[in-house]
Amino acid sequence: MAFDPALLAKRRAALGLTAAELARRAGINRSIISGIEHGRLTPYPSQIRRIKAVLDTSPTSGKNTALSLRAT
């Protein structure tokens, strides 16, 4: 399965996070997040793990939401 940047943007928006806030929480530069979301950059596995760690946990519930950033 290939990485799907649209899923990243959709999940981030669903959680009400800005690209800047996602970047801050994941420890990744905001321009990298933007590039990944717009398909200009292919994320490294380490970046996927860090982004996934932020997006897998709802900030309001703290529950794991089992996000998949890969297309099915």
Side-chain angles (χ1 to χ4, degrees):
M1 285 184 261
F3 176 81
D4 185 349
L7 292 177
L8 168 58
K10 184 177 178 179
R11 176 65 178 159
R12 178 182 60 75
L15 290 174
L17 295 174
T18 64
E21 181 61 16
L22 172 58
R24 185 188 69 75
R25 291 183 187 189
I28 299 171
N29 188 288
R30 188 207 50 80
S31 63
I32 300 293
I33 297 292
S34 179
I36 292 169
E37 285 187 352
H38 290 93
R40 293 187 308 267
L41 297 174
T42 301
Y44 292 110
S46 62
Q47 292 171 323
I48 292 173
R49 284 190 299 273
R50 289 160 61 184
I51 291 168
K52 191 173 181 307
V54 173
L55 299 182
D56 270 355
T57 304
S58 167
T60 55
S61 71
K63 294 181 181 175
N64 187 317
T65 57
L67 171 72
S68 173
L69 295 177
R70 302 210 180 268
T72 55

